[in-house]
Amino acid sequence: MLETRNLDKSFGAVHVTRDVSFRLEKGERRVILGPNGAGKTTLFNLLAGELIPDSGAIMLAGEDVTSLPVASRARRGLSRSYQKNTLFDGLSVEENLGLAASIHTGFGTRLWGDSLSRPEVREIVEDVAAQVNLQPYLHARVSEVSYGVRRQLEVGVALATRPRVLLMDEPTSGVGPEMAGAFHALLAGLPRDLTILIIEHDMDLAFEVADSITVLNYGEVVFDGAPETARGSDLLKEIYLGSWEHA
Amino acid sequence: MFRHTPLRYIALALLAAGALFQAATAGYFGLEILIEILILAMLVLALDMVAGFGGMVSLCHGALMGVGAYAFATFGGILGLTPLVSLVGAIALTGATAWVIGAVCARSHGIYFIMATLAFGQMAYSYVFQTPFFGGDDGMGGIERLDLTALGIDLTDSRSFALFCLGVLGLVYLATVAVLRSGLGRSLTGVMHSEQRMRALGLTVWRVKADVFGLSGMIAGLAGALSAMHIMYISPGLLDWTVSGEALVVVILGGLGTLVGPMIGAVALVVLKHELSAITPYWHLVVGLLLIGVVMSRANGIFGWIEAQIGARLDKRLNDITRPQPTEEPRDA
């Protein structure tokens, strides 16, 4: 469903992504691990189209999308959530979901009629609100709900575009252990045919939800395999404890 | 996202009642002032649509109004088209011009967007000023008003023309609200909050900006055509950046992103201008001080200040009145 081929990206003399290649099958859930500065968010920005790689290719469902802009990739089914909330604070939770759903259904550019009252949009809003447990907050303004609810909405907005591939950048960033537990259940409840790539620091979440794990360090893939293998990996421990050195 | 509140309905009703009263009772000079206010209100509605709901602070809306006025005068005076066809043509041409400007400027933000629109506006001004076809700095005269005699309306009469402009302003307001509440308008608000997120959701951001800028240009073109009909003469000064600057002052003075506020700002500016200019030639200083006061108060213009002072209290009181009261349960004996 999603494949990267020898992705490379530098900012001046800083080489942030080095020859990154991996492949996600349909419905696969892969977690990207790595210490701060490993190049995880840069990789997401390359996949989403917010950055263009210096070399390499990105394939989405067999199509080369490397040179396509962000919106075109999104329309092809690649959606993302952000590490820092990028919600529309002045709008209600329902309007946030509705905005995403109306873009997906094509009503977001129509001149006449309220897009949020369209049955197609309403159906997506209600469906996604149920998926990410937002029904009690639908009419609340985003600025009035808790941080944890905003993180759920961040994922919900990405889901409201009905993606084929969902990129989640640290979905549990800044939430407490209880909320992180709720996110485990939330991820487990998402449709199994949805392909998910997650950047995560929470090891428990990573090992619980991942079908496969990719570890990045200094922009390169240093581990790619099953969670069970990663769990016992000395390399992973070394990277997180800081004794691993880049060659 | 644009929302009507009880206070906004009250303000709209008061504005409409005041305009109707003025149209019914004022003499020639009073009607001229009213028409000036109504045309300026149209222009600032167009500007508020893009600046208040899309973050596109334009300094070319005066020029767009000028394009509408010159197109109307050219279609009627030189090409010999009827005033109605000229009006439709002027609105369409101005909308198309605005769409192109919006499409080109959509990738810039903040001060760069302002400067890019200023450049477009000044290019239009210079072109018209130096082109003999458009009369150069002499401008163009002999412009006809719409002929609505078939409907029993004589627009050569100032009172009828004022009422006509009031009706058109009402329709423009309703159209603006409809656009802002449509899918396109909601997407525009989303773009103002976060372009990055809207792109990531699959929206072609520049297209949304260009489309709304084009619609806003159509309103500015309509205001320009009405201005040309009003004075029956136009000059390049109509396209000058100071007209755009004055419209921006009115929007900020009234309340950016409220639609109602800019119309109040139009009333305030025109009335102040006429009243103060009779007393002192330095009336600009008073308007300047007022603008500084509004900006320094951190209120969103005159109407924003009113909304902050009484809007929330009014909403709460209405909610208390309309909320169903709990009924007392009958007690068991």
Side-chain angles (χ1 to χ4, degrees):
Chain A
M1 180 57 71
L2 180 67
E3 185 182 357
T4 67
R5 294 176 184 165
N6 312 106
L7 277 187
D8 250 71
K9 181 69 183 175
S10 297
F11 297 111
V14 184
H15 209 159
V16 285
T17 305
R18 298 165 185 267
D19 197 29
V20 171
S21 298
F22 60 80
R23 182 187 172 91
L24 270 86
E25 301 301 334
K26 185 177 181 184
E28 185 179 338
R29 274 111 205 252
R30 180 181 294 249
V31 172
I32 307 268
L33 292 174
N36 287 334
K40 304 185 295 292
T41 297
T42 301
L43 175 63
F44 259 38
N45 289 337
L46 290 168
L47 294 173
E50 288 171 23
L51 292 173
I52 299 297
D54 298 332
S55 61
I58 300 162
M59 311 295 289
L60 177 65
E63 182 189 3
D64 187 346
V65 296
T66 315
S67 58
L68 290 182
V70 178
S72 300
R73 294 187 201 196
R75 286 196 291 272
R76 282 166 170 76
L78 186 73
S79 188
R80 74 170 294 182
S81 67
Y82 289 83
Q83 184 182 351
K84 289 181 180 170
N85 293 330
T86 53
L87 301 167
F88 309 106
D89 284 355
L91 307 184
S92 68
V93 168
E94 185 180 36
E95 285 170 332
N96 269 263
L97 294 174
L99 204 51
S102 62
I103 292 168
H104 171 69
T105 52
F107 294 113
T109 50
R110 296 269 178 96
L111 187 52
W112 299 114
D114 185 354
S115 53
L116 263 59
S117 60
R118 305 291 305 199
E120 299 91 332
V121 174
R122 299 274 348 134
E123 188 186 331
I124 294 176
V125 168
E126 282 161 22
D127 191 29
V128 171
Q131 277 182 335
V132 293
N133 308 318
L134 286 172
Q135 294 108 320
Y137 310 102
L138 277 177
H139 301 297
R141 281 199 182 196
V142 171
S143 55
E144 293 164 354
V145 298
S146 69
Y147 181 76
V149 172
R150 289 187 209 188
R151 292 306 293 162
Q152 286 169 254
L153 180 58
E154 180 70 31
V155 176
V157 168
L159 284 171
T161 61
R162 294 287 196 227
R164 292 191 287 179
V165 177
L166 176 61
L167 310 177
M168 301 168 82
D169 193 349
E170 298 198 34
T172 60
S173 168
V175 303
E178 202 172 303
M179 194 69 208
F183 258 96
H184 293 202
L186 187 155
L187 289 173
L190 294 179
R192 259 327 295 192
D193 61 347
L194 177 63
T195 308
I196 305 177
L197 188 63
I198 311 173
I199 293 176
E200 189 52 68
H201 278 301
D202 181 343
M203 291 290 187
D204 290 337
L205 177 71
F207 290 124
E208 191 168 320
V209 303
D211 297 323
S212 55
I213 286 187
T214 297
V215 181
L216 287 181
N217 201 27
Y218 292 107
E220 63 183 319
V221 176
V222 293
F223 177 88
D224 192 347
E228 304 77 44
T229 319
R231 197 188 291 270
S233 163
D234 290 336
L235 176 68
L236 200 61
K237 289 175 192 165
E238 284 174 24
I239 286 171
Y240 272 91
L241 292 174
S243 60
W244 192 90
E245 287 187 11
H246 175 57
Chain B
M1 197 78 61
F2 179 77
R3 289 183 176 87
H4 271 127
T5 60
L7 186 62
R8 290 181 183 187
Y9 280 125
I10 292 169
L12 280 172
L14 289 175
L15 282 171
L20 279 170
F21 179 77
Q22 182 78 356
T25 61
Y28 175 77
F29 188 64
L31 289 170
E32 290 300 299
I33 291 176
L34 176 62
I35 294 166
E36 191 181 344
I37 289 171
L38 295 171
I39 291 172
L40 180 60
M42 262 175 247
L43 179 65
V44 295
L45 275 181
L47 183 56
D48 198 28
M49 184 197 266
V50 292
F53 298 90
M56 295 182 279
V57 179
S58 161
L59 269 184
C60 72
H61 266 60
L64 290 173
M65 185 172 162
V67 168
Y70 269 88
F72 180 76
T74 305
F75 291 155
I78 297 174
L79 301 181
L81 301 175
T82 65
L84 183 61
V85 174
S86 300
L87 178 64
V88 174
I91 293 169
L93 182 71
T94 316
T97 306
W99 191 91
V100 172
I101 294 172
V104 173
C105 298
R107 286 166 183 84
S108 59
H109 302 91
I111 190 74
Y112 301 102
F113 185 91
I114 296 171
M115 288 298 111
T117 52
L118 175 65
F120 271 110
Q122 286 304 94
M123 281 159 60
Y125 167 75
S126 301
Y127 180 74
V128 169
F129 188 84
Q130 292 175 355
T131 305
F133 180 79
F134 295 117
D137 60 346
D138 290 335
M140 296 170 77
I143 298 165
E144 287 181 41
R145 290 183 181 178
L146 280 181
D147 181 7
L148 298 180
T149 47
L151 301 173
I153 302 167
D154 177 15
L155 288 186
T156 56
D157 170 56
S158 288
R159 200 173 308 281
S160 300
F161 191 69
L163 285 167
F164 174 72
C165 288
L166 181 59
V168 173
L169 176 63
L171 292 175
V172 165
Y173 180 83
L174 292 175
T176 305
V177 170
V179 168
L180 292 173
R181 285 182 171 173
S182 70
L184 185 70
R186 285 183 183 275
S187 293
L188 180 74
T189 309
V191 167
M192 184 169 75
H193 281 86
S194 174
E195 274 195 37
Q196 181 193 28
R197 188 62 193 251
M198 293 302 277
R199 274 196 198 94
L201 293 173
L203 189 77
T204 309
V205 167
W206 75 265
R207 182 67 194 269
V208 167
K209 285 181 161 185
D211 286 354
V212 179
F213 209 84
L215 291 167
S216 171
M218 289 171 78
I219 298 172
L222 171 61
L226 288 175
S227 176
M229 283 186 225
H230 175 214
I231 310 290
M232 297 178 173
Y233 162 79
I234 50 173
S235 71
L238 199 57
L239 291 90
D240 191 28
W241 77 271
T242 53
V243 178
S244 304
E246 191 172 89
L248 195 54
V249 165
V250 168
V251 170
I252 294 168
L253 195 64
L256 183 72
T258 62
L259 295 186
V260 181
M263 292 197 287
I264 293 173
V267 176
L269 185 88
V270 175
V271 171
L272 272 176
K273 182 165 75 176
H274 285 283
E275 294 300 320
L276 290 174
S277 60
I279 303 167
T280 171
Y282 301 109
W283 66 272
H284 279 106
L285 293 180
V286 179
V287 175
L289 286 171
L290 184 64
L291 184 65
I292 291 166
V294 165
V295 171
M296 297 300 285
S297 73
R298 296 185 183 177
N300 182 21
I302 297 167
F303 189 67
W305 182 82
I306 295 169
E307 280 194 318
Q309 296 302 311
I310 62 171
R313 269 181 284 168
L314 184 67
D315 287 352
K316 186 177 179 302
R317 181 159 296 185
L318 284 172
N319 277 338
D320 289 345
I321 293 167
T322 53
R323 188 185 299 152
Q325 299 297 313
T327 52
E328 199 169 322
E329 293 288 325
R331 289 181 184 174
D332 291 330

